[in-house]
Amino acid sequence: MRVTYRFAETPEFTDVRLTVENRGRRLKIGVFGRGSLRLRPYLAALSLWLNTVGPIEVGDNATPNLYSLYLPPMPSHALARQLEGDFRSWVLKRPTPLALTIGVTDRCQCSCLHCSAAGTGSMAPVLSGEEIRRTVAQAIALGVNVVTFTGGEPLLRNDLEECIAAVEPEKAVTLVFTNGLLLNGERARSLRAAGLHGVHVSLDSPEPDEHDRLRGRDGCFAAVAAAAQTALAAGLKVGISTYATNESVRQRKLAGIAALAAEWGAHEVTVFDAISTGRLFGRPDVHLTAAAHHDLVAQGKKLTARHRARPRVVTQAWTNSGRGFARLIGCLAANFQVHVTAHGDVTPCDFTPLSFGNVRDAPVADLWRKLTTHPAFCARTKSCRMQDATFRERYIDTIPTGATLPFPIAELEDR
């Protein structure tokens, strides 16, 4: 399968054409046109990395390869748009968001101990379907090619399919993070028919009782197992989402989670770091130590090799490690990603409780510009800012006690 894509004209790039082709497990990327020589080093590094790690699902002459749920399938026009965004960010120094996460509800059936969306206390109404669709359209116009619907629990919204269907598949793929409780066969088929690409189902522990305890609800573990297999049967890509603590890293809990993901047929396992935000706000003691980060990267690499192509284990610890291709990634906040809360606040990511404005008051483009020109977010960083003591001392520890989150960053600067 081969896709040819033409870049938008700029003074730097004229008649630039990108070709992406999958040849079995290997991917070939070419670029042509005036200014294209400046793009080839990045493409060479990307191609080398992708062909080294290999796809988690191999396509054919009519279907693309899948390398991660966080990347559009390759080749595809959505993937080509991502590469164009990469070039704008890296070569032209014009930050381009590639991923949007957007909360569609603040309701949830669970009360997870680590929930990053809890504790906002906002009195503003939740975004309407029309507001969600407008926000997503504005983000895609900026360059976003992966749209992820989060919550709360997104499946509690009856109009979620309408929001998904409004995303043009040629421009972006859509994902949903879910606890799995409502993902029965009928809903999975409905989501797939609307155009959903994949789901990330949350699993906090490989032990059923512990998972249910951490979620604050009985039956959650059984729901995850059923949801993963139901989603696959409906034709959706499936990821298992979890988080790491110093204790879970020490106990090698990730091995059990990866084994279950393999048993259920999942494509990918994502491991986020425990972050002092949401219900853990004010608890920097939960952050992983340097040793735990190092150990977690090694565990992820070993488990991916053990399960061969699937499931791939992706850790935030690796993304923020600065190792290999990860040195081109780093902290996603205000870099690859922008987040919009269920109440419309624009934040650097879903773990950073700092608001740069609201989509009800300004276009996403203006808020993205405000975010990426701020001194704290105008440059890439290797590691997560929310785990950096200096950043927290300046921007997080100064948030007034009991304040509604996310807190307006402008008010911190006035203090």
Side-chain angles (χ1 to χ4, degrees):
M1 182 178 182
R2 177 173 177 156
V3 166
T4 300
Y5 178 85
R6 190 179 299 274
F7 284 11
E9 294 288 332
T10 70
E12 296 86 355
F13 301 115
T14 302
D15 193 30
V16 170
R17 301 174 310 285
L18 180 77
T19 62
V20 186
E21 181 180 7
N22 61 332
R23 298 178 175 179
R25 294 185 59 84
R26 295 197 63 79
L27 194 74
K28 182 179 180 181
I29 305 176
V31 64
F32 313 92
R34 190 174 71 82
S36 62
L37 286 175
R38 300 172 64 186
L39 311 179
R40 290 176 184 174
Y42 174 81
L43 283 181
L46 177 65
S47 297
L48 176 62
W49 177 61
L50 291 172
N51 286 322
T52 299
V53 301
I56 51 179
E57 191 169 84
V58 181
D60 53 32
N61 289 336
T63 58
N65 290 350
L66 182 68
Y67 290 82
S68 171
L69 270 69
Y70 297 101
L71 297 171
M74 303 182 190
S76 67
H77 283 283
L79 180 276
R81 290 184 75 247
Q82 174 176 325
L83 295 179
E84 182 176 13
D86 286 343
F87 298 151
R88 290 182 183 278
S89 295
W90 283 96
V91 179
L92 304 184
K93 306 303 180 184
R94 299 171 189 165
T96 301
L98 305 180
L100 166 72
T101 54
I102 181 167
V104 295
T105 181
D106 57 2
R107 295 182 295 141
C108 187
Q109 316 97 311
C110 302
S111 54
C112 305
L113 296 179
H114 67 286
C115 180
S116 61
T120 64
S122 177
M123 299 301 292
V126 169
L127 292 171
S128 67
E130 180 182 354
E131 289 172 325
I132 291 170
R133 292 190 291 274
R134 183 181 70 241
T135 299
V136 169
Q138 291 179 0
I140 290 175
L142 274 177
V144 160
N145 50 76
V146 177
V147 177
T148 302
F149 298 98
T150 66
E153 171 50 49
L155 298 190
L156 287 170
R157 280 200 73 125
N158 295 327
D159 63 348
L160 181 59
E161 282 84 347
E162 295 176 30
C163 298
I164 292 167
V167 177
E168 296 179 52
E170 288 285 292
K171 294 183 177 180
V173 296
T174 52
L175 303 169
V176 165
F177 271 84
T178 177
N179 56 37
L181 288 167
L182 297 176
L183 194 60
N184 56 30
E186 181 181 0
R187 193 69 191 276
R189 290 188 292 273
S190 174
L191 292 166
R192 184 71 187 100
L196 185 67
H197 177 60
V199 294
H200 291 277
V201 191
S202 299
L203 181 64
D204 300 340
S205 170
E207 300 159 15
D209 290 345
E210 183 177 36
H211 175 76
D212 288 359
R213 177 180 63 80
L214 293 171
R215 290 266 141 181
R217 182 183 174 113
D218 292 339
C220 283
F221 182 90
V224 174
Q229 295 167 83
T230 297
L232 285 171
L236 293 167
K237 311 305 180 186
V238 175
I240 299 298
S241 171
T242 190
Y243 70 101
T245 64
N246 288 300
E247 185 66 10
S248 70
V249 173
R250 185 184 67 79
Q251 294 180 359
R252 300 291 194 270
K253 291 290 182 83
L254 181 55
I257 289 174
L260 287 171
E263 177 185 329
W264 296 335
H267 296 80
E268 195 165 46
V269 175
T270 303
V271 189
F272 296 100
D273 295 350
I275 303 289
S276 177
T277 192
R279 284 206 174 92
L280 294 176
F281 188 77
R283 290 278 313 280
D285 58 292
V286 304
H287 293 160
L288 297 186
T289 64
H293 273 121
H294 186 273
D295 192 6
L296 188 57
V297 171
Q299 288 183 38
K301 183 177 181 180
K302 182 177 181 180
L303 289 168
T304 293
R306 177 185 301 173
H307 296 290
R308 297 186 181 274
R310 183 166 159 182
R312 174 159 296 140
V313 178
V314 179
T315 65
Q316 181 182 350
W318 173 80
T319 303
N320 295 164
S321 69
R323 302 181 188 179
F325 192 77
R327 71 183 185 277
L328 299 179
I329 305 174
C331 181
L332 301 181
N335 177 1
F336 292 97
Q337 178 187 6
V338 62
H339 179 65
V340 179
T341 72
H343 302 279
D345 284 292
V346 169
T347 68
C349 73
D350 36 352
F351 297 121
T352 307
L354 298 171
S355 174
F356 283 78
N358 196 287
V359 296
R360 290 182 168 121
D361 303 321
V364 174
D366 291 351
L367 299 173
W368 173 253
R369 191 177 305 109
K370 181 180 178 181
L371 172 57
T372 55
T373 56
H374 188 276
F377 294 96
C378 63
R380 293 174 184 265
T381 64
K382 182 183 76 172
S383 57
C384 170
R385 293 174 177 86
M386 283 294 291
Q387 297 178 68
D388 179 79
T390 301
F391 176 85
R392 293 190 66 89
E393 181 180 357
R394 173 64 183 88
Y395 293 104
I396 304 301
D397 297 344
T398 52
I399 295 176
T401 302
T404 297
L405 301 177
F407 193 76
I409 194 166
E411 292 188 23
L412 289 178
E413 293 162 344
D414 292 340
R415 293 168 64 87

